Amino acid sequence: MGKRKTHIILFISLILVILLLIIINILTGSVGISARDIPGILLKGDKSSVDGRIILDIRLPRIIEAIFLGGALALSGYMLQTFFLNPIAGPYILGISSGAKLLVAILMVCALKAGFAMNSLMLVVAAFLGSLIATGFVLIVSQRVRSMSILIVCGVMVGYICSAITELIVTFADDSNIVNLHNWSLGTFSAAGWSEAWIYIPIVAAGIIAAFLMSKTMEAYQFGEEYAGSLGINIYGFRILLIIVSSVLSATVTAFAGPVSFVGIAMPHVARNLFRSEKPLVIIPASFLLGSAFCLLCDLLARSIFSPTELSISTVTAVFGAPIVISMMIGRRNENV
Amino acid sequence: MSEILFKNAVIGYKDVPVLKDVSFTADKGSITALIGPNGAGKSTILKTAAGLLKPIDGKVYIRDRAIGSYSPKELYSIISVMMTDRVKTKFMSCHDVVRVGRYRYTGIFGGLTDNDRKVIKESMELIGVWELKDRDYATLSDGQKQRVLLARAIVSEPGILIMDEPASFLDMGRKIEFFDALRGLVTEKGIAVLISMHEVEMIRKVADKVICISDSGKIDAKGDAAELIRPAYMEELFGMKKGKYEEYYG
């Protein structure tokens, strides 16, 4: 059981890395807050001071968001990869995040014009519908082309089209709130506060539970559709469930943080290679934790490199994520990607 | 009672018949082999017998019950399938691969009981792959891989085993190893095996019964291997010029 021991050590190290990143994230920001004051602020929940509000209402929600949405994105990517039986798949690269973004942007602008405020749940629903439409398109294409590379090119194109239309809408929208909308459409963990957290945390938690409940079937499915069918698995139902859970997760991320690139495709790959395993029961939590850690790190960089100017999160995740994906593709050059 | 019975079945994909008037049986403790040219419909018969394709017309019975009346769960507690899809994994040990065959026995997260472990060990020992259990499946030779997949196919303790050209890309020595393991298995467990194969020259040793499928979309002949595998008939079945069978296989 040497493998199990290694896995436990890896999981503990991952959690320690996340804790470390949380601490650094709390300490870092354009306003210097003494490390000595922070335990007091956190324990008392004291929002009376400016420092208290910065920690509790700005930095902490942002950390929570990076942890849950980063993890959700990685998990969503892993489920898509299982669906396509191919490690080169993710919600961003297949255009699914951009589809969600487009529908959310349309709804937001309409809401602004009509003069009512969108609540978080409406955002999630819009994002979910948008991602389902984009996913539907990807599935139609995938039935016509057998090659994953062509599917990805199509996904990237869909992403460009959706982003272009989103930009168009954002540009012609009213001035008010447009700055927020613009930031969100590029991807950021700064937009959501506590009230949003109470929406996305339960959704993400439900997604994790669903993934665990599907883990045994996911493992069998990895051996091919036909084989899974010959174990008595209802392939059609299982695939639909996979796509729905994956879409809910990536749509939730898009609704609150905008499109975040390369986490969904790269982190499951890192998880598989780090844990040297393909057991869903291992890779589900491993992808999630890696997604959390990766987004914490990227968000830290996004807001500290050119502080006080903030980079969009996708700029940073792309810098690290894209090379991982390229190395994956090179590593698979002899197989039919 | 036959394990598998086809009677005047019409089979194919989505109302496009590939084969008509298919009648044969496969019995307990015996190996029934399908031979014939590529594309004649061997895989179609196998998929229909495995419940992966619905028969268009006629009767397909598993243990005296129409195959359509089984729920997937019931059906695959009797049948185990070894098709040609290659396993593309990087970090799966052979034990992991075989373990998945216990799918219908394991709990919600796929945990193994002592009995599961025992059956996995016995199956892998019977096929002679127990010593490979900790090896990464991806690093095995083709021959070893096929034997691990055979172990995976029997770990669910099936009554019927359906296999599509399991030995096609193995070398001569590995083919013999594989068929030896299969024979041992049938004798030991009394399983009914329905197999398609191209190793015509080995069929007398492997199969108890042969079903020949010709290009014309029907079963051309069936019966004892020793009677059927004759040069003139093989030349006709596989569309060879006269004397060629003798020239290459004689």
Side-chain angles (χ1 to χ4, degrees), chain A residues 212 216-217 219 222-223 226-227 229-230 232 272-273 276-279, chain B residues 47 76 83 87 89-92 96 99-101 103 106-107 109 152:
Chain A
F212 272 117
K216 178 182 159 184
T217 308
E219 177 165 48
Q222 285 178 337
F223 289 96
E226 206 163 61
Y227 180 69
S230 80
R272 277 189 288 266
N273 282 284
R276 304 197 68 73
S277 171
E278 273 167 318
K279 286 195 185 93
Chain B
K47 283 182 183 167
Y76 298 115
M83 290 293 178
V87 175
T89 58
K90 229 163 116 191
F91 302 120
M92 290 259 192
D96 288 337
R99 177 172 54 85
V100 173
Y103 185 85
T106 53
F109 295 119
R152 178 180 76 169

PDB file of all heavy atoms in Angstrom, chain A residues 212 216-217 219 222-223 226-227 229-230 232 272-273 276-279, chain B residues 47 76 83 87 89-92 96 99-101 103 106-107 109 152:
ATOM      1  N   PHE A 212     -18.318  12.681  -6.425  1.00  0.00           N
ATOM      2  CA  PHE A 212     -17.924  11.500  -5.650  1.00  0.00           C
ATOM      3  C   PHE A 212     -18.895  10.345  -5.876  1.00  0.00           C
ATOM      4  O   PHE A 212     -18.484   9.194  -5.995  1.00  0.00           O
ATOM      5  CB  PHE A 212     -17.833  11.832  -4.162  1.00  0.00           C
ATOM      6  CG  PHE A 212     -16.477  12.345  -3.760  1.00  0.00           C
ATOM      7  CD1 PHE A 212     -16.318  13.628  -3.269  1.00  0.00           C
ATOM      8  CD2 PHE A 212     -15.354  11.541  -3.874  1.00  0.00           C
ATOM      9  CE1 PHE A 212     -15.065  14.106  -2.906  1.00  0.00           C
ATOM     10  CE2 PHE A 212     -14.093  12.008  -3.516  1.00  0.00           C
ATOM     11  CZ  PHE A 212     -13.954  13.294  -3.029  1.00  0.00           C
ATOM     12  N   LYS A 216     -17.327   5.878  -9.093  1.00  0.00           N
ATOM     13  CA  LYS A 216     -17.164   4.471  -9.463  1.00  0.00           C
ATOM     14  C   LYS A 216     -17.499   4.260 -10.944  1.00  0.00           C
ATOM     15  O   LYS A 216     -16.791   3.562 -11.662  1.00  0.00           O
ATOM     16  CB  LYS A 216     -18.082   3.625  -8.579  1.00  0.00           C
ATOM     17  CG  LYS A 216     -18.058   2.154  -8.883  1.00  0.00           C
ATOM     18  CD  LYS A 216     -19.024   1.406  -7.986  1.00  0.00           C
ATOM     19  CE  LYS A 216     -19.397   0.079  -8.585  1.00  0.00           C
ATOM     20  NZ  LYS A 216     -20.413  -0.619  -7.777  1.00  0.00           N
ATOM     21  N   THR A 217     -18.577   4.915 -11.382  1.00  0.00           N
ATOM     22  CA  THR A 217     -18.963   4.791 -12.783  1.00  0.00           C
ATOM     23  C   THR A 217     -17.962   5.509 -13.685  1.00  0.00           C
ATOM     24  O   THR A 217     -17.650   5.038 -14.782  1.00  0.00           O
ATOM     25  CB  THR A 217     -20.382   5.344 -12.992  1.00  0.00           C
ATOM     26  OG1 THR A 217     -21.247   4.715 -12.044  1.00  0.00           O
ATOM     27  CG2 THR A 217     -20.889   5.053 -14.378  1.00  0.00           C
ATOM     28  N   GLU A 219     -14.847   5.701 -13.205  1.00  0.00           N
ATOM     29  CA  GLU A 219     -13.692   4.812 -13.357  1.00  0.00           C
ATOM     30  C   GLU A 219     -13.961   3.748 -14.422  1.00  0.00           C
ATOM     31  O   GLU A 219     -13.123   3.502 -15.285  1.00  0.00           O
ATOM     32  CB  GLU A 219     -13.364   4.141 -12.017  1.00  0.00           C
ATOM     33  CG  GLU A 219     -12.230   3.153 -12.141  1.00  0.00           C
ATOM     34  CD  GLU A 219     -11.653   2.762 -10.807  1.00  0.00           C
ATOM     35  OE1 GLU A 219     -12.441   2.434  -9.901  1.00  0.00           O
ATOM     36  OE2 GLU A 219     -10.420   2.787 -10.668  1.00  0.00           O
ATOM     37  N   GLN A 222     -13.879   5.147 -17.968  1.00  0.00           N
ATOM     38  CA  GLN A 222     -12.543   5.415 -18.509  1.00  0.00           C
ATOM     39  C   GLN A 222     -12.060   4.296 -19.426  1.00  0.00           C
ATOM     40  O   GLN A 222     -11.190   4.506 -20.261  1.00  0.00           O
ATOM     41  CB  GLN A 222     -11.515   5.562 -17.376  1.00  0.00           C
ATOM     42  CG  GLN A 222     -11.612   6.878 -16.634  1.00  0.00           C
ATOM     43  CD  GLN A 222     -10.621   6.952 -15.495  1.00  0.00           C
ATOM     44  OE1 GLN A 222     -10.162   5.930 -14.987  1.00  0.00           O
ATOM     45  NE2 GLN A 222     -10.285   8.141 -15.083  1.00  0.00           N
ATOM     46  N   PHE A 223     -12.620   3.096 -19.249  1.00  0.00           N
ATOM     47  CA  PHE A 223     -12.205   1.971 -20.081  1.00  0.00           C
ATOM     48  C   PHE A 223     -12.983   1.910 -21.387  1.00  0.00           C
ATOM     49  O   PHE A 223     -12.886   0.937 -22.119  1.00  0.00           O
ATOM     50  CB  PHE A 223     -12.370   0.662 -19.308  1.00  0.00           C
ATOM     51  CG  PHE A 223     -11.375   0.510 -18.201  1.00  0.00           C
ATOM     52  CD1 PHE A 223     -11.704   0.861 -16.907  1.00  0.00           C
ATOM     53  CD2 PHE A 223     -10.097   0.058 -18.459  1.00  0.00           C
ATOM     54  CE1 PHE A 223     -10.786   0.747 -15.886  1.00  0.00           C
ATOM     55  CE2 PHE A 223      -9.167  -0.073 -17.442  1.00  0.00           C
ATOM     56  CZ  PHE A 223      -9.512   0.275 -16.157  1.00  0.00           C
ATOM     57  N   GLU A 226     -18.191   1.273 -24.645  1.00  0.00           N
ATOM     58  CA  GLU A 226     -18.743  -0.057 -24.868  1.00  0.00           C
ATOM     59  C   GLU A 226     -18.521  -0.943 -23.647  1.00  0.00           C
ATOM     60  O   GLU A 226     -19.424  -1.656 -23.213  1.00  0.00           O
ATOM     61  CB  GLU A 226     -18.088  -0.683 -26.100  1.00  0.00           C
ATOM     62  CG  GLU A 226     -18.945  -1.708 -26.763  1.00  0.00           C
ATOM     63  CD  GLU A 226     -18.453  -1.985 -28.171  1.00  0.00           C
ATOM     64  OE1 GLU A 226     -17.291  -2.430 -28.290  1.00  0.00           O
ATOM     65  OE2 GLU A 226     -19.215  -1.763 -29.125  1.00  0.00           O
ATOM     66  N   TYR A 227     -17.322  -0.865 -23.099  1.00  0.00           N
ATOM     67  CA  TYR A 227     -17.039  -1.687 -21.924  1.00  0.00           C
ATOM     68  C   TYR A 227     -17.936  -1.286 -20.764  1.00  0.00           C
ATOM     69  O   TYR A 227     -18.517  -2.148 -20.084  1.00  0.00           O
ATOM     70  CB  TYR A 227     -15.557  -1.578 -21.516  1.00  0.00           C
ATOM     71  CG  TYR A 227     -15.257  -2.419 -20.294  1.00  0.00           C
ATOM     72  CD1 TYR A 227     -15.292  -3.805 -20.370  1.00  0.00           C
ATOM     73  CD2 TYR A 227     -15.001  -1.836 -19.061  1.00  0.00           C
ATOM     74  CE1 TYR A 227     -15.066  -4.586 -19.250  1.00  0.00           C
ATOM     75  CE2 TYR A 227     -14.775  -2.606 -17.940  1.00  0.00           C
ATOM     76  CZ  TYR A 227     -14.805  -3.982 -18.041  1.00  0.00           C
ATOM     77  OH  TYR A 227     -14.603  -4.758 -16.932  1.00  0.00           O
ATOM     78  N   GLY A 229     -20.822   0.027 -20.932  1.00  0.00           N
ATOM     79  CA  GLY A 229     -22.152  -0.481 -21.240  1.00  0.00           C
ATOM     80  C   GLY A 229     -22.275  -1.960 -20.896  1.00  0.00           C
ATOM     81  O   GLY A 229     -23.295  -2.416 -20.389  1.00  0.00           O
ATOM     82  N   SER A 230     -21.190  -2.709 -21.122  1.00  0.00           N
ATOM     83  CA  SER A 230     -21.234  -4.144 -20.865  1.00  0.00           C
ATOM     84  C   SER A 230     -21.124  -4.467 -19.379  1.00  0.00           C
ATOM     85  O   SER A 230     -21.175  -5.610 -18.979  1.00  0.00           O
ATOM     86  CB  SER A 230     -20.133  -4.866 -21.642  1.00  0.00           C
ATOM     87  OG  SER A 230     -18.906  -4.732 -20.971  1.00  0.00           O
ATOM     88  N   GLY A 232     -23.354  -3.002 -17.545  1.00  0.00           N
ATOM     89  CA  GLY A 232     -24.733  -2.706 -17.161  1.00  0.00           C
ATOM     90  C   GLY A 232     -24.962  -1.238 -16.836  1.00  0.00           C
ATOM     91  O   GLY A 232     -25.997  -0.878 -16.295  1.00  0.00           O
ATOM     92  N   ARG A 272      -3.245  14.094 -12.062  1.00  0.00           N
ATOM     93  CA  ARG A 272      -2.931  12.721 -12.476  1.00  0.00           C
ATOM     94  C   ARG A 272      -1.439  12.443 -12.394  1.00  0.00           C
ATOM     95  O   ARG A 272      -1.015  11.388 -11.932  1.00  0.00           O
ATOM     96  CB  ARG A 272      -3.400  12.492 -13.923  1.00  0.00           C
ATOM     97  CG  ARG A 272      -4.866  12.135 -14.045  1.00  0.00           C
ATOM     98  CD  ARG A 272      -5.183  11.726 -15.472  1.00  0.00           C
ATOM     99  NE  ARG A 272      -5.173  12.880 -16.350  1.00  0.00           N
ATOM    100  CZ  ARG A 272      -6.266  13.569 -16.662  1.00  0.00           C
ATOM    101  NH1 ARG A 272      -7.424  13.206 -16.204  1.00  0.00           N
ATOM    102  NH2 ARG A 272      -6.188  14.618 -17.451  1.00  0.00           N
ATOM    103  N   ASN A 273      -0.627  13.406 -12.836  1.00  0.00           N
ATOM    104  CA  ASN A 273       0.817  13.168 -12.861  1.00  0.00           C
ATOM    105  C   ASN A 273       1.440  13.250 -11.473  1.00  0.00           C
ATOM    106  O   ASN A 273       2.394  12.540 -11.172  1.00  0.00           O
ATOM    107  CB  ASN A 273       1.491  14.137 -13.817  1.00  0.00           C
ATOM    108  CG  ASN A 273       1.300  13.705 -15.255  1.00  0.00           C
ATOM    109  OD1 ASN A 273       1.958  12.780 -15.712  1.00  0.00           O
ATOM    110  ND2 ASN A 273       0.366  14.315 -15.944  1.00  0.00           N
ATOM    111  N   ARG A 276       0.178  10.181  -9.732  1.00  0.00           N
ATOM    112  CA  ARG A 276       0.403   9.001 -10.557  1.00  0.00           C
ATOM    113  C   ARG A 276      -0.770   8.024 -10.440  1.00  0.00           C
ATOM    114  O   ARG A 276      -0.595   6.837 -10.136  1.00  0.00           O
ATOM    115  CB  ARG A 276       1.716   8.320 -10.208  1.00  0.00           C
ATOM    116  CG  ARG A 276       2.921   9.254 -10.297  1.00  0.00           C
ATOM    117  CD  ARG A 276       4.224   8.502 -10.353  1.00  0.00           C
ATOM    118  NE  ARG A 276       4.391   7.755 -11.588  1.00  0.00           N
ATOM    119  CZ  ARG A 276       4.647   8.308 -12.778  1.00  0.00           C
ATOM    120  NH1 ARG A 276       4.758   9.596 -12.897  1.00  0.00           N
ATOM    121  NH2 ARG A 276       4.796   7.549 -13.838  1.00  0.00           N
ATOM    122  N   SER A 277      -1.953   8.563 -10.649  1.00  0.00           N
ATOM    123  CA  SER A 277      -3.160   7.749 -10.500  1.00  0.00           C
ATOM    124  C   SER A 277      -4.213   8.237 -11.472  1.00  0.00           C
ATOM    125  O   SER A 277      -4.172   9.375 -11.935  1.00  0.00           O
ATOM    126  CB  SER A 277      -3.680   7.868  -9.073  1.00  0.00           C
ATOM    127  OG  SER A 277      -4.943   7.251  -8.964  1.00  0.00           O
ATOM    128  N   GLU A 278      -5.134   7.348 -11.787  1.00  0.00           N
ATOM    129  CA  GLU A 278      -6.279   7.753 -12.598  1.00  0.00           C
ATOM    130  C   GLU A 278      -7.574   7.358 -11.918  1.00  0.00           C
ATOM    131  O   GLU A 278      -8.625   7.319 -12.542  1.00  0.00           O
ATOM    132  CB  GLU A 278      -6.183   7.111 -13.989  1.00  0.00           C
ATOM    133  CG  GLU A 278      -5.367   7.960 -14.933  1.00  0.00           C
ATOM    134  CD  GLU A 278      -4.976   7.233 -16.193  1.00  0.00           C
ATOM    135  OE1 GLU A 278      -4.592   6.056 -16.098  1.00  0.00           O
ATOM    136  OE2 GLU A 278      -5.061   7.827 -17.260  1.00  0.00           O
ATOM    137  N   LYS A 279      -7.484   7.046 -10.626  1.00  0.00           N
ATOM    138  CA  LYS A 279      -8.696   6.685  -9.888  1.00  0.00           C
ATOM    139  C   LYS A 279      -9.491   7.956  -9.605  1.00  0.00           C
ATOM    140  O   LYS A 279      -8.999   8.864  -8.952  1.00  0.00           O
ATOM    141  CB  LYS A 279      -8.328   6.048  -8.548  1.00  0.00           C
ATOM    142  CG  LYS A 279      -7.796   4.648  -8.621  1.00  0.00           C
ATOM    143  CD  LYS A 279      -7.837   4.023  -7.223  1.00  0.00           C
ATOM    144  CE  LYS A 279      -7.189   2.660  -7.216  1.00  0.00           C
ATOM    145  NZ  LYS A 279      -5.784   2.688  -6.850  1.00  0.00           N
TER     146      LYS A 279
ATOM    147  N   LYS B  47     -22.003  -8.492 -30.813  1.00  0.00           N
ATOM    148  CA  LYS B  47     -22.655  -7.366 -30.130  1.00  0.00           C
ATOM    149  C   LYS B  47     -24.117  -7.657 -29.843  1.00  0.00           C
ATOM    150  O   LYS B  47     -24.650  -7.238 -28.818  1.00  0.00           O
ATOM    151  CB  LYS B  47     -22.521  -6.094 -30.977  1.00  0.00           C
ATOM    152  CG  LYS B  47     -21.134  -5.495 -30.869  1.00  0.00           C
ATOM    153  CD  LYS B  47     -21.017  -4.217 -31.665  1.00  0.00           C
ATOM    154  CE  LYS B  47     -19.592  -3.686 -31.586  1.00  0.00           C
ATOM    155  NZ  LYS B  47     -19.340  -2.635 -32.557  1.00  0.00           N
ATOM    156  N   TYR B  76     -25.896  -8.467 -17.541  1.00  0.00           N
ATOM    157  CA  TYR B  76     -24.443  -8.451 -17.368  1.00  0.00           C
ATOM    158  C   TYR B  76     -23.992  -9.099 -16.070  1.00  0.00           C
ATOM    159  O   TYR B  76     -22.819  -9.069 -15.738  1.00  0.00           O
ATOM    160  CB  TYR B  76     -23.922  -7.016 -17.535  1.00  0.00           C
ATOM    161  CG  TYR B  76     -24.215  -6.533 -18.919  1.00  0.00           C
ATOM    162  CD1 TYR B  76     -25.091  -5.485 -19.149  1.00  0.00           C
ATOM    163  CD2 TYR B  76     -23.668  -7.192 -20.018  1.00  0.00           C
ATOM    164  CE1 TYR B  76     -25.397  -5.079 -20.438  1.00  0.00           C
ATOM    165  CE2 TYR B  76     -23.979  -6.803 -21.299  1.00  0.00           C
ATOM    166  CZ  TYR B  76     -24.843  -5.753 -21.512  1.00  0.00           C
ATOM    167  OH  TYR B  76     -25.156  -5.370 -22.785  1.00  0.00           O
ATOM    168  N   MET B  83     -14.308  -6.813 -25.830  1.00  0.00           N
ATOM    169  CA  MET B  83     -14.343  -6.298 -27.198  1.00  0.00           C
ATOM    170  C   MET B  83     -12.962  -5.763 -27.578  1.00  0.00           C
ATOM    171  O   MET B  83     -12.017  -5.833 -26.808  1.00  0.00           O
ATOM    172  CB  MET B  83     -15.411  -5.210 -27.324  1.00  0.00           C
ATOM    173  CG  MET B  83     -16.827  -5.755 -27.239  1.00  0.00           C
ATOM    174  SD  MET B  83     -17.250  -6.794 -28.661  1.00  0.00           S
ATOM    175  CE  MET B  83     -18.894  -7.314 -28.236  1.00  0.00           C
ATOM    176  N   VAL B  87      -7.462  -0.272 -24.132  1.00  0.00           N
ATOM    177  CA  VAL B  87      -7.486   0.495 -22.886  1.00  0.00           C
ATOM    178  C   VAL B  87      -6.368   1.535 -22.947  1.00  0.00           C
ATOM    179  O   VAL B  87      -5.207   1.202 -23.139  1.00  0.00           O
ATOM    180  CB  VAL B  87      -7.284  -0.442 -21.677  1.00  0.00           C
ATOM    181  CG1 VAL B  87      -7.191   0.356 -20.390  1.00  0.00           C
ATOM    182  CG2 VAL B  87      -8.423  -1.436 -21.602  1.00  0.00           C
ATOM    183  N   THR B  89      -4.775   3.920 -20.705  1.00  0.00           N
ATOM    184  CA  THR B  89      -4.557   4.513 -19.391  1.00  0.00           C
ATOM    185  C   THR B  89      -3.068   4.654 -19.165  1.00  0.00           C
ATOM    186  O   THR B  89      -2.260   4.008 -19.826  1.00  0.00           O
ATOM    187  CB  THR B  89      -5.131   3.641 -18.264  1.00  0.00           C
ATOM    188  OG1 THR B  89      -4.520   2.368 -18.353  1.00  0.00           O
ATOM    189  CG2 THR B  89      -6.622   3.502 -18.384  1.00  0.00           C
ATOM    190  N   LYS B  90      -2.723   5.522 -18.237  1.00  0.00           N
ATOM    191  CA  LYS B  90      -1.316   5.757 -17.979  1.00  0.00           C
ATOM    192  C   LYS B  90      -0.924   5.233 -16.596  1.00  0.00           C
ATOM    193  O   LYS B  90       0.122   4.661 -16.424  1.00  0.00           O
ATOM    194  CB  LYS B  90      -1.052   7.266 -18.049  1.00  0.00           C
ATOM    195  CG  LYS B  90       0.129   7.636 -18.912  1.00  0.00           C
ATOM    196  CD  LYS B  90       0.079   9.108 -19.261  1.00  0.00           C
ATOM    197  CE  LYS B  90       1.246   9.867 -18.674  1.00  0.00           C
ATOM    198  NZ  LYS B  90       1.072  11.320 -18.776  1.00  0.00           N
ATOM    199  N   PHE B  91      -1.799   5.474 -15.641  1.00  0.00           N
ATOM    200  CA  PHE B  91      -1.433   5.180 -14.254  1.00  0.00           C
ATOM    201  C   PHE B  91      -2.335   4.130 -13.620  1.00  0.00           C
ATOM    202  O   PHE B  91      -2.716   4.248 -12.483  1.00  0.00           O
ATOM    203  CB  PHE B  91      -1.493   6.455 -13.412  1.00  0.00           C
ATOM    204  CG  PHE B  91      -0.619   7.554 -13.914  1.00  0.00           C
ATOM    205  CD1 PHE B  91      -1.151   8.764 -14.297  1.00  0.00           C
ATOM    206  CD2 PHE B  91       0.754   7.373 -13.999  1.00  0.00           C
ATOM    207  CE1 PHE B  91      -0.342   9.790 -14.759  1.00  0.00           C
ATOM    208  CE2 PHE B  91       1.572   8.384 -14.468  1.00  0.00           C
ATOM    209  CZ  PHE B  91       1.023   9.595 -14.850  1.00  0.00           C
ATOM    210  N   MET B  92      -2.709   3.109 -14.380  1.00  0.00           N
ATOM    211  CA  MET B  92      -3.543   2.057 -13.802  1.00  0.00           C
ATOM    212  C   MET B  92      -2.696   0.799 -13.637  1.00  0.00           C
ATOM    213  O   MET B  92      -2.080   0.350 -14.600  1.00  0.00           O
ATOM    214  CB  MET B  92      -4.712   1.732 -14.729  1.00  0.00           C
ATOM    215  CG  MET B  92      -5.736   2.829 -14.817  1.00  0.00           C
ATOM    216  SD  MET B  92      -7.137   2.425 -13.776  1.00  0.00           S
ATOM    217  CE  MET B  92      -8.294   3.663 -14.346  1.00  0.00           C
ATOM    218  N   ASP B  96      -5.848  -2.711 -10.713  1.00  0.00           N
ATOM    219  CA  ASP B  96      -6.904  -1.700 -10.930  1.00  0.00           C
ATOM    220  C   ASP B  96      -7.789  -2.086 -12.114  1.00  0.00           C
ATOM    221  O   ASP B  96      -9.010  -1.976 -12.061  1.00  0.00           O
ATOM    222  CB  ASP B  96      -6.292  -0.317 -11.225  1.00  0.00           C
ATOM    223  CG  ASP B  96      -5.666   0.314  -9.997  1.00  0.00           C
ATOM    224  OD1 ASP B  96      -6.063  -0.058  -8.875  1.00  0.00           O
ATOM    225  OD2 ASP B  96      -4.775   1.176 -10.161  1.00  0.00           O
ATOM    226  N   ARG B  99      -9.885  -5.055 -11.267  1.00  0.00           N
ATOM    227  CA  ARG B  99     -10.841  -4.688 -10.213  1.00  0.00           C
ATOM    228  C   ARG B  99     -12.139  -4.107 -10.795  1.00  0.00           C
ATOM    229  O   ARG B  99     -13.232  -4.379 -10.287  1.00  0.00           O
ATOM    230  CB  ARG B  99     -10.176  -3.664  -9.292  1.00  0.00           C
ATOM    231  CG  ARG B  99     -11.028  -3.116  -8.184  1.00  0.00           C
ATOM    232  CD  ARG B  99     -10.169  -2.270  -7.245  1.00  0.00           C
ATOM    233  NE  ARG B  99      -9.430  -1.225  -7.951  1.00  0.00           N
ATOM    234  CZ  ARG B  99      -9.932  -0.037  -8.251  1.00  0.00           C
ATOM    235  NH1 ARG B  99     -11.149   0.264  -7.903  1.00  0.00           N
ATOM    236  NH2 ARG B  99      -9.207   0.849  -8.901  1.00  0.00           N
ATOM    237  N   VAL B 100     -12.005  -3.326 -11.867  1.00  0.00           N
ATOM    238  CA  VAL B 100     -13.185  -2.688 -12.456  1.00  0.00           C
ATOM    239  C   VAL B 100     -14.201  -3.740 -12.926  1.00  0.00           C
ATOM    240  O   VAL B 100     -15.406  -3.501 -12.923  1.00  0.00           O
ATOM    241  CB  VAL B 100     -12.773  -1.756 -13.612  1.00  0.00           C
ATOM    242  CG1 VAL B 100     -13.974  -1.216 -14.344  1.00  0.00           C
ATOM    243  CG2 VAL B 100     -11.956  -0.602 -13.056  1.00  0.00           C
ATOM    244  N   GLY B 101     -13.710  -4.926 -13.289  1.00  0.00           N
ATOM    245  CA  GLY B 101     -14.613  -6.002 -13.682  1.00  0.00           C
ATOM    246  C   GLY B 101     -15.570  -6.423 -12.581  1.00  0.00           C
ATOM    247  O   GLY B 101     -16.599  -7.043 -12.839  1.00  0.00           O
ATOM    248  N   TYR B 103     -17.355  -4.508 -10.955  1.00  0.00           N
ATOM    249  CA  TYR B 103     -18.256  -3.356 -10.834  1.00  0.00           C
ATOM    250  C   TYR B 103     -19.578  -3.674 -10.151  1.00  0.00           C
ATOM    251  O   TYR B 103     -19.997  -3.011  -9.230  1.00  0.00           O
ATOM    252  CB  TYR B 103     -18.522  -2.769 -12.220  1.00  0.00           C
ATOM    253  CG  TYR B 103     -19.342  -1.507 -12.219  1.00  0.00           C
ATOM    254  CD1 TYR B 103     -18.743  -0.276 -12.038  1.00  0.00           C
ATOM    255  CD2 TYR B 103     -20.727  -1.551 -12.375  1.00  0.00           C
ATOM    256  CE1 TYR B 103     -19.483   0.893 -12.021  1.00  0.00           C
ATOM    257  CE2 TYR B 103     -21.475  -0.384 -12.358  1.00  0.00           C
ATOM    258  CZ  TYR B 103     -20.849   0.828 -12.186  1.00  0.00           C
ATOM    259  OH  TYR B 103     -21.590   1.968 -12.171  1.00  0.00           O
ATOM    260  N   THR B 106     -19.361  -4.305  -6.230  1.00  0.00           N
ATOM    261  CA  THR B 106     -18.767  -3.379  -5.267  1.00  0.00           C
ATOM    262  C   THR B 106     -19.769  -2.308  -4.831  1.00  0.00           C
ATOM    263  O   THR B 106     -20.784  -2.080  -5.475  1.00  0.00           O
ATOM    264  CB  THR B 106     -17.523  -2.690  -5.860  1.00  0.00           C
ATOM    265  OG1 THR B 106     -17.866  -2.101  -7.111  1.00  0.00           O
ATOM    266  CG2 THR B 106     -16.405  -3.675  -6.066  1.00  0.00           C
ATOM    267  N   GLY B 107     -19.448  -1.648  -3.727  1.00  0.00           N
ATOM    268  CA  GLY B 107     -20.340  -0.642  -3.146  1.00  0.00           C
ATOM    269  C   GLY B 107     -20.316   0.666  -3.909  1.00  0.00           C
ATOM    270  O   GLY B 107     -19.745   0.757  -4.995  1.00  0.00           O
ATOM    271  N   PHE B 109     -18.776   3.446  -3.700  1.00  0.00           N
ATOM    272  CA  PHE B 109     -17.499   4.055  -4.078  1.00  0.00           C
ATOM    273  C   PHE B 109     -16.520   3.025  -4.636  1.00  0.00           C
ATOM    274  O   PHE B 109     -15.343   3.300  -4.800  1.00  0.00           O
ATOM    275  CB  PHE B 109     -16.879   4.795  -2.900  1.00  0.00           C
ATOM    276  CG  PHE B 109     -17.699   5.985  -2.462  1.00  0.00           C
ATOM    277  CD1 PHE B 109     -18.224   6.051  -1.189  1.00  0.00           C
ATOM    278  CD2 PHE B 109     -17.965   7.019  -3.348  1.00  0.00           C
ATOM    279  CE1 PHE B 109     -18.991   7.132  -0.792  1.00  0.00           C
ATOM    280  CE2 PHE B 109     -18.736   8.109  -2.970  1.00  0.00           C
ATOM    281  CZ  PHE B 109     -19.257   8.164  -1.683  1.00  0.00           C
ATOM    282  N   ARG B 152      -9.915  -9.701 -16.359  1.00  0.00           N
ATOM    283  CA  ARG B 152     -10.954  -8.718 -16.041  1.00  0.00           C
ATOM    284  C   ARG B 152     -12.329  -9.228 -16.475  1.00  0.00           C
ATOM    285  O   ARG B 152     -13.332  -9.010 -15.802  1.00  0.00           O
ATOM    286  CB  ARG B 152     -10.651  -7.394 -16.755  1.00  0.00           C
ATOM    287  CG  ARG B 152     -11.697  -6.331 -16.515  1.00  0.00           C
ATOM    288  CD  ARG B 152     -11.378  -5.038 -17.226  1.00  0.00           C
ATOM    289  NE  ARG B 152     -11.644  -5.099 -18.662  1.00  0.00           N
ATOM    290  CZ  ARG B 152     -11.655  -4.037 -19.465  1.00  0.00           C
ATOM    291  NH1 ARG B 152     -11.382  -2.842 -18.995  1.00  0.00           N
ATOM    292  NH2 ARG B 152     -11.908  -4.176 -20.742  1.00  0.00           N
TER     293      ARG B 152
END
